[in-house]
Amino acid sequence: MENLLFYLIIYITEGVILWIYCSRIFNSKYKRRHEIAIILCSHCLISPFALLQNSWLNTSLFVFIDILLIFFLFDISLLHTFFHTIIISFFMLLTELMVLNFIPHFIYTYYKEDLLFHSMLVPSILSKLLYFFILYTISTFLSKKQYMYTKKNWYTLLLSVLPIVSVWIILTLMYVGQQIILSKTINTLITFSCILLLFVNLLIFGLYDYIQKKAAQQTQLQLELQKEADLVSYYKLLVEQDEQQKIFLHDIKKHLMAIGDLNKNSSRQMVSQYIEQLTESPELSTSAKFCDNDTLNAILSRYISHSVEKDIRFSTDIRAHSVDFLPFGDMTALFCNLLDNAMESAEKMENSYIELNIFPKKQNNCVVLTLINSCRISPFSENQELKTTKTDMMHHGFGVKSIERIVEKHNGIMQMYFDNNSKTFHTIISFQGQR
């Protein structure tokens, strides 16, 4: 009965550590109390099998039940579930073997001691504390907001090979230690081997983290490219609408002549219907003129409309033909990203403003773009890198990267700085040889 109580305590402890690890990394599917109850009950159910004194069976049951628990309780794919379960199992076995090797003959007497509860309680507590410390440390480097654990990644299966081999080695060493009494030298060699396996598997986990980070960045980059493509399509439609409006206004004289003919024939009802049809036509909706470039004019119309809603003063001075060298897509991505950042910064202050100027410099054969917007605090970090106020720290910075890509593509130079006295953020871009 004491032995069963001992294993019950150990398995409950392992269940609590498993829940802490998973809840810090993965998004939950159910309420917290339900997760804890299911995990603890599952570990209690498999604890009696430890009385069979078969470490291979115990490990297989532990891996199987943890795969089921993680996969069904948390928002994670089966491949990621398998990798994390193997890693967890490896660290559990490794910490047990490392602690037992420090105390002579403990492995040999692990299943043979009549007073198992009293002799193994302290070493088991030490191994579980080390097990908890390793998993808690790993979980601090990962975040449930960082990666898409629900997306399949076959690299995860390849990375699982080494942890599986490590689990096999640990089980083999434990089996050997249970069968014969090992000398102090062999125990020392096994301890150092365990430490080496620990570092190797930590490197595997680091590689897994790196692959996940790159996959998340690649996904976000694809989303940003799709967003740019959608913006290009949107502004193309605006330009086409503006063109239709110009054609309609060109033909307005003919419409007026037709109304005059109807009026002469005393067809007042038809005149009324004609005028109503014209006034409801989308081509008659007014559109402001901010510059001579139709694409940039459509972009500015949208952002100036937003600035009015957010009580932000927006002023522009764009000289004729100053941005004609930019293709449709590059112009859309450049100005949308610049103005998105400016709007996000300016809306956090009262009496804020945005000022956009684009003018050619004949003497230098270049076009200079200056964007000044209100900014409450400096957006630069201590190492002079732009930081974000977004909650999603992983998926930020792609707008600035898109701006840098376009500037570099068109032989430009960009400078950004924050003026603390006026609480303004300045962006200066010079496109060489584009006058």
Side-chain angles (χ1 to χ4, degrees):
M1 188 64 185
E2 285 186 346
N3 292 353
L4 180 60
L5 179 61
F6 168 76
Y7 288 124
L8 191 63
I9 294 173
I10 294 301
Y11 274 83
I12 289 176
T13 304
E14 291 172 354
V16 172
I17 295 173
L18 173 69
W19 176 80
I20 293 174
Y21 174 83
C22 293
S23 62
R24 286 169 58 86
I25 299 178
F26 313 125
N27 290 313
S28 303
K29 292 182 179 178
Y30 305 99
K31 293 182 179 180
R32 179 173 298 183
R33 61 176 180 271
H34 295 159
E35 292 173 357
I36 297 176
I38 294 173
I39 291 176
L40 294 184
C41 289
S42 300
H43 279 73
C44 288
L45 289 175
I46 63 174
S47 61
F49 289 93
L51 295 173
L52 299 176
Q53 302 180 3
N54 188 325
S55 57
W56 297 87
L57 176 62
N58 295 339
T59 303
S60 300
L61 285 174
F62 181 85
V63 171
F64 177 73
I65 200 69
D66 281 2
I67 286 177
L68 294 179
L69 289 172
I70 296 175
F71 181 70
F72 287 107
L73 294 181
F74 299 94
D75 198 11
I76 179 175
S77 71
L78 188 58
L79 288 177
H80 291 291
T81 300
F82 182 75
F83 176 81
H84 283 271
T85 304
I86 294 298
I87 283 289
I88 289 171
S89 304
F90 165 74
F91 286 127
M92 181 197 68
L93 294 172
L94 182 68
T95 52
E96 289 182 358
L97 185 59
M98 289 178 67
V99 171
L100 293 175
N101 266 283
F102 280 110
I103 306 174
H105 311 315
F106 258 22
I107 296 181
Y108 184 70
T109 59
Y110 191 85
Y111 290 119
K112 298 179 173 59
E113 180 63 50
D114 294 332
L115 300 176
L116 178 66
F117 184 90
H118 301 284
S119 63
M120 292 303 300
L121 184 60
V122 173
S124 297
I125 291 175
L126 291 176
S127 67
K128 298 312 167 190
L129 285 175
L130 182 59
Y131 173 54
F132 170 74
F133 173 76
I134 293 175
L135 290 190
Y136 191 86
T137 303
I138 291 175
S139 64
T140 57
F141 290 99
L142 303 177
S143 169
K144 63 179 66 177
K145 302 297 182 183
Q146 281 188 344
Y147 309 133
M148 296 173 60
Y149 292 106
T150 56
K151 187 176 181 180
K152 293 181 180 180
N153 191 337
W154 292 103
Y155 287 107
T156 305
L157 189 60
L158 295 177
L159 290 176
S160 303
V161 174
L162 187 56
I164 292 173
V165 173
S166 301
V167 169
W168 180 275
I169 294 173
I170 294 296
L171 286 172
T172 303
L173 293 175
M174 293 183 72
Y175 179 77
V176 172
Q178 292 164 12
Q179 300 301 317
I180 58 176
I181 299 177
L182 302 176
S183 65
K184 184 180 295 185
T185 302
I186 296 178
N187 276 330
T188 303
L189 291 174
I190 291 176
T191 301
F192 280 108
S193 299
C194 291
I195 294 174
L196 290 176
L197 281 176
L198 172 64
F199 282 109
V200 169
N201 281 270
L202 286 176
L203 288 175
I204 289 294
F205 214 102
L207 183 59
Y208 169 81
D209 176 56
Y210 175 79
I211 290 176
Q212 286 296 102
K213 185 182 298 183
K214 289 299 180 183
Q217 289 179 349
Q218 184 66 24
T219 301
Q220 185 65 17
L221 180 59
Q222 292 297 327
L223 291 174
E224 291 294 330
L225 292 175
Q226 182 61 46
K227 176 184 174 182
E228 288 186 7
D230 293 340
L231 283 173
V232 170
S233 300
Y234 170 74
Y235 286 113
K236 278 184 178 180
L237 290 176
L238 287 183
V239 172
E240 290 176 3
Q241 181 181 349
D242 185 64
E243 185 68 21
Q244 293 297 323
Q245 183 183 35
K246 293 176 181 177
I247 295 173
F248 181 83
L249 292 176
H250 178 267
D251 296 336
I252 195 68
K253 183 178 179 181
K254 298 177 181 178
H255 293 295
L256 292 174
M257 292 174 62
I259 292 174
D261 292 338
L262 291 173
N263 188 45
K264 289 178 181 179
N265 297 329
S266 301
S267 303
R268 294 183 178 180
Q269 184 178 359
M270 294 184 65
V271 170
S272 178
Q273 292 177 353
Y274 201 116
I275 294 175
E276 184 178 354
Q277 182 181 356
L278 288 176
T279 55
E280 293 178 355
S281 175
E283 286 84 359
L284 278 180
S285 58
T286 58
S287 61
K289 193 74 172 177
F290 303 103
C291 65
D292 65 326
N293 187 282
D294 293 335
T295 303
L296 183 55
N297 194 72
I299 294 172
L300 292 176
S301 297
R302 175 170 171 258
Y303 282 95
I304 290 177
S305 176
H306 289 341
S307 67
V308 172
E309 296 174 0
K310 298 178 183 294
D311 196 24
I312 300 172
R313 289 183 290 113
F314 199 123
S315 60
T316 61
D317 182 6
I318 302 172
R319 304 303 168 87
H321 307 293
S322 56
V323 293
D324 291 350
F325 65 93
L326 288 172
F328 200 106
D330 290 348
M331 186 181 302
T332 302
L334 175 64
F335 285 99
C336 286
N337 283 306
L338 283 172
L339 294 174
D340 276 338
N341 294 338
M343 292 287 292
E344 181 183 352
S345 176
E347 67 184 6
K348 299 175 182 177
M349 291 182 62
E350 295 182 354
N351 300 321
S352 58
Y353 70 94
I354 298 174
E355 180 181 320
L356 175 63
N357 299 312
I358 307 174
F359 53 91
K361 281 191 173 183
K362 295 182 180 181
Q363 62 273 24
N364 296 328
N365 191 31
C366 67
V367 173
V368 178
L369 181 155
T370 62
L371 178 63
I372 305 172
N373 60 270
S374 300
C375 188
R376 185 169 54 87
I377 58 175
S378 174
F380 293 103
S381 60
E382 294 180 356
N383 55 356
Q384 295 303 307
E385 291 183 354
L386 283 173
K387 57 185 178 182
T388 183
T389 57
K390 296 182 177 70
T391 55
D392 189 358
M393 298 296 291
M394 183 69 185
H395 299 156
H396 83 279
F398 289 96
V400 176
K401 291 179 181 177
S402 179
I403 295 170
E404 292 174 345
R405 174 180 61 83
I406 296 169
V407 170
E408 183 179 356
K409 176 181 177 181
H410 296 279
N411 195 27
I413 301 173
M414 181 169 65
Q415 179 186 5
M416 296 179 175
Y417 68 91
F418 173 73
D419 189 342
N420 191 46
N421 295 326
S422 60
K423 297 296 181 182
T424 54
F425 185 77
H426 298 247
T427 303
I428 303 173
I429 302 176
S430 174
F431 293 102
Q432 304 296 323
Q434 301 292 353
R435 183 176 62 84

